[in-house]
């Protein structure tokens, strides 16, 4: 499955900008291995949301490895089209990519996911507001981050608290000599219905 995914990613990326990583070995490590670093937090049968999924990371590699209900959202239609084509090629059941913004998708889908994942989308303050409202109480939000994670997390503590989250764990590791940090946030109480705010407010005015 990964070979099919890699080949198609390289093929489509030759005319549509999906990723700056185009070497098959780098795709394997920097996309697939990085995505799978959070596999232990997802259980069979979970309802999972990948926000700002881009070319399908981390959601699709995780779905290849485990059977769960996966929705991937992105605001860029060409990326959503690519993800749905990959889903079809790999015959992944209970998996769908949707062209929407998190703020709009939240109107009908708040507090309904067991796990929300997001990778390389926004700083931790903004990302927390876009992700935590989708979780059921007791669910977990996983932010896949790089070397600036500690500073981002420090700045995001207020947002995480306001949104009903609590940092549960921080995983640190290296991939290809790159520092990777996965921040795991548990939702301990419901988010107020005003979140996530619309009109790009989570980015313009982080909590």
């Amino acid at each position: 499955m990964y070979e099919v995914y890699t080949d198609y990613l390289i093929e489509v990326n030759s005319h549509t900008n999906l990723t700056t990583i185009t070497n098959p070995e780098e795709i394997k490590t920097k996309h697939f291995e990085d995505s799978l670093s959070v596999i232990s937090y997802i259980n069979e049968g979970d309802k999972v949301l990948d926000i700002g999924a881009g070319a399908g990371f981390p959601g699709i590699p995780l779905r290849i490895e485990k059977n769960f209900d996966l929705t991937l959202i992105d605001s860029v239609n060409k990326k959503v089209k690519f993800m749905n084509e990959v889903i079809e090629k790999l015959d992944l059941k209970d998996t769908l990519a949707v062209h929407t913004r998190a703020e709009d998708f939240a109107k009908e889908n708040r507090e309904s996911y067991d796990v929300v994942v997001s990778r390389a989308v926004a700083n931790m303050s903004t990302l927390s507001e876009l992700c935590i409202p989708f979780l059921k109480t007791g669910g977990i939000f996983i932010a896949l981050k790089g070397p600036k994670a500690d500073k981002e997390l420090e700045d995001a503590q207020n947002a995480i608290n306001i949104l009903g989250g609590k940092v549960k764990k921080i995983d640190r590791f290296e991939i290809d000599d790159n520092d990777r940090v996965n921040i795991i946030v548990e939702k301990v109480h419901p988010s107020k219905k005003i979140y996530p705010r619309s009109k790009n407010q989570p980015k313009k005015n982080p909590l």
Side-chain angles (χ1 to χ4, degrees):
M1 281 191 177
Y2 290 110
E3 192 173 332
V4 173
Y5 194 171
T6 300
D7 290 347
Y8 194 57
L9 178 60
I10 292 169
E11 178 191 330
V12 175
N13 201 68
S14 67
H15 55 77
T16 303
N17 183 27
L18 298 170
T19 176
T20 56
I21 299 167
T22 54
N23 176 285
E25 277 304 309
E26 287 196 346
I27 290 171
K28 180 182 174 185
T29 54
K30 293 180 179 176
H31 281 325
F32 296 152
E33 285 183 22
D34 189 38
S35 295
L36 293 174
S37 65
V38 301
I39 188 79
S40 64
Y41 294 102
I42 296 174
N43 299 312
E44 299 270 334
D46 273 352
K47 192 174 178 188
V48 179
L49 178 64
D50 183 347
I51 290 181
F57 309 115
I60 291 178
L62 292 166
R63 180 61 190 81
I64 289 170
E65 296 296 324
K66 275 189 181 173
N67 186 26
F68 57 86
D69 183 299
L70 173 64
T71 302
L72 310 107
I73 68 171
D74 202 279
S75 61
V76 180
N77 200 34
K78 65 184 179 183
K79 294 180 178 180
V80 173
K81 182 173 178 284
F82 169 77
M83 286 190 283
N84 280 321
E85 287 165 353
V86 170
I87 289 162
E88 190 173 342
K89 282 177 180 292
L90 302 182
D91 194 28
L92 297 175
K93 307 299 183 193
D94 302 316
T95 305
L96 177 67
V98 180
H99 178 222
T100 185
R101 296 178 64 85
E103 302 93 318
D104 297 325
F105 196 65
K107 291 170 187 171
E108 302 292 330
N109 297 278
R110 295 174 53 79
E111 316 251 327
S112 57
Y113 290 89
D114 301 295
V115 181
V116 176
V117 294
S118 193
R119 175 178 179 258
V121 171
N123 68 55
M124 193 66 189
S125 299
T126 300
L127 199 57
S128 295
E129 182 171 350
L130 297 177
C131 293
I132 294 173
F134 285 99
L135 286 170
K136 302 171 185 174
T137 301
I140 57 166
F141 157 44
I142 308 170
L144 291 82
K145 289 288 183 181
K148 296 178 181 175
D150 290 318
K151 178 68 171 74
E152 283 192 34
L153 183 56
E154 186 182 322
D155 293 342
Q157 286 295 341
N158 187 54
I160 292 169
N161 292 338
I162 287 171
L163 295 157
K166 182 180 180 182
V167 177
K168 184 178 180 180
K169 196 179 177 196
I170 299 172
D171 293 334
R172 303 175 190 276
F173 56 101
E174 281 191 2
I175 290 181
D176 273 0
D177 295 325
N178 291 310
D179 290 333
R180 304 298 300 157
V181 181
N182 293 337
I183 301 169
I184 293 86
V185 176
E186 182 179 6
K187 186 163 185 175
V188 292
H189 62 75
S191 307
K192 290 181 180 176
K193 288 185 179 177
I194 58 168
Y195 303 117
R197 293 166 294 164
S198 59
K199 297 180 182 173
N200 214 22
Q201 286 299 304
K203 184 176 180 180
K204 288 180 183 173
N205 299 299
L207 293 172

